[in-house]
Amino acid sequence: MTIQLGQVAPDFEAETTQGTIRFHEWLGSSWGVLFSHPKDFTPVCTTELGETARLKPEFDARGVKVIGLSVDTLDRHAGWDADIADTQGTAVNFPMIADPEKKVAALYGMVHPEADPAITVRTVFVIDPNKKVRLFMVYPPSTGRNFDEIIRVIDSLQLTDRAKVATPVNWRPGGKAIIPPAISDEQAKGLFPQGWKTDRPYLRWVDVK
């Protein structure tokens, strides 16, 4: 299945390390991050899960629920948790989906046969409270993800939804945003009474919080 930005994330029921969930119901009114791991007891995944657990307060502060997926079984997930806590210094504090039949992986296009038909690639989906897919990234099994970037994108999405702006290259919270070209100067006066700086008619910088 090919998933595109703006589409409703497919719903599913699955067994996780925190019980059986129905995905949309589990998300509720929260943002969500669904990310896949090629296999349990693998080194790169171990570091990623430890980092995600360490960053849970950051996700919580943004109203984001995180859930992982591996094609291994629940009992293997449980055994792996102990290794992650021991080697990464943080116990896994979010659910992990057990997907041995690859049903969820197939639904979300997480198995790329030309890479490896037996495991999932490192896919990340960011899903908004309307259950729409707002971002997806795909990494090869050999490359660990940058979770600072995932949080940065969530910050951008939440800001741009709220303030009707866009964010420029390498934007970080507190940096200047851009007024989209679709918003006229007249409309901008109402949206941004603090004013803005115009470099070009299509490039207008504004401070927003």
Side-chain angles (χ1 to χ4, degrees):
M1 179 176 179
T2 300
I3 296 176
Q4 298 184 350
L5 297 182
Q7 290 182 337
V8 173
D11 197 14
F12 58 84
E13 186 174 289
E15 296 295 322
T16 83
T17 51
Q18 295 184 8
T20 303
I21 67 159
R22 170 63 65 176
F23 186 51
H24 283 190
E25 181 181 301
W26 176 80
L27 280 173
S29 59
S30 299
W31 287 74
V33 172
L34 167 64
F35 64 128
S36 57
H37 302 275
K39 198 169 181 61
D40 289 10
F41 298 100
T42 52
V44 177
C45 297
T46 298
T47 64
E48 289 184 325
L49 291 175
E51 178 69 358
T52 305
R54 185 185 71 79
L55 290 171
K56 189 174 187 297
E58 298 293 332
F59 288 115
D60 289 346
R62 292 161 173 81
V64 180
K65 291 183 175 180
V66 178
I67 188 166
L69 175 146
S70 169
V71 296
D72 283 304
T73 55
L74 278 179
D75 62 318
R76 283 181 62 82
H77 285 0
W80 191 23
D81 280 355
D83 282 0
I84 294 166
D86 185 45
T87 64
Q88 305 306 303
T90 309
V92 176
N93 47 21
F94 54 89
M96 280 285 291
I97 296 167
D99 192 31
E101 296 179 3
K102 303 185 183 71
K103 291 181 179 179
V104 179
L107 191 62
Y108 277 79
M110 294 171 169
V111 177
H112 293 197
E114 295 299 322
D116 190 326
I119 59 176
T120 59
V121 292
R122 298 183 193 284
T123 312
V124 181
F125 291 91
V126 174
I127 300 161
D128 72 16
N130 295 316
K131 313 297 185 292
K132 291 187 177 180
V133 175
R134 301 295 297 277
L135 168 83
F136 58 86
M137 295 188 286
V138 181
Y139 291 70
S142 59
T143 302
R145 283 164 278 219
N146 184 330
F147 281 84
D148 289 338
E149 170 63 4
I150 293 169
I151 289 176
R152 188 191 77 89
V153 172
I154 291 169
D155 284 337
S156 173
L157 289 170
Q158 293 184 343
L159 174 71
T160 57
D161 281 2
R162 181 178 72 253
K164 309 305 179 189
V165 293
T167 56
V169 62
N170 297 331
W171 175 87
R172 292 282 180 181
K176 288 186 180 296
I178 293 171
I179 301 174
I183 296 176
S184 68
D185 281 350
E186 194 59 35
Q187 292 171 314
K189 289 176 184 177
L191 291 170
F192 311 109
Q194 70 271 37
W196 61 87
K197 177 180 180 291
T198 301
D199 280 348
R200 294 289 186 276
Y202 60 84
L203 184 56
R204 296 166 293 172
W205 300 94
V206 64
D207 288 311
V208 292
K209 295 181 180 179

